[in-house]
Amino acid sequence: MLQAQLEAWDKVIENESRDEFFRKVVEHQREYCERVVGYHLEHTTPKEPAYVHFYGKSPTDTSTIL
């Protein structure tokens, strides 16, 4: 589902980026996202070790707790 959403958004960006304002907004959002996601990845504790500790197995693509 997420992959389809990302691919659809790529098409929207490609089509709408002809508009200068839209392009600037998307560029700003990407810059902001890079900072925020980078911070999040660096400063949050991974959840998988806790899952393994409590359930004795690695989460799968159907695990709903993560």
Side-chain angles (χ1 to χ4, degrees):
M1 177 76 91
L2 176 59
Q3 189 60 42
Q5 182 181 8
L6 293 170
E7 290 169 6
W9 181 238
D10 285 343
K11 290 177 185 177
V12 170
I13 290 173
E14 183 180 335
N15 291 335
E16 298 298 325
S17 285
R18 294 180 203 122
D19 178 79
E20 185 178 342
F21 178 74
F22 182 90
R23 187 175 57 253
K24 285 182 179 182
V25 169
V26 169
E27 288 172 6
H28 184 265
Q29 287 176 332
R30 285 184 178 187
E31 291 168 6
Y32 176 77
C33 185
E34 187 174 6
R35 289 194 313 268
V36 171
V37 171
Y39 180 87
H40 175 76
L41 292 173
E42 238 179 85
H43 295 92
T44 57
T45 304
K47 295 167 184 64
E48 188 171 344
Y51 185 93
V52 172
H53 175 81
F54 287 111
Y55 298 101
K57 61 182 181 177
S58 292
T60 66
D61 61 346
T62 59
S63 299
T64 58
I65 199 162
L66 295 179

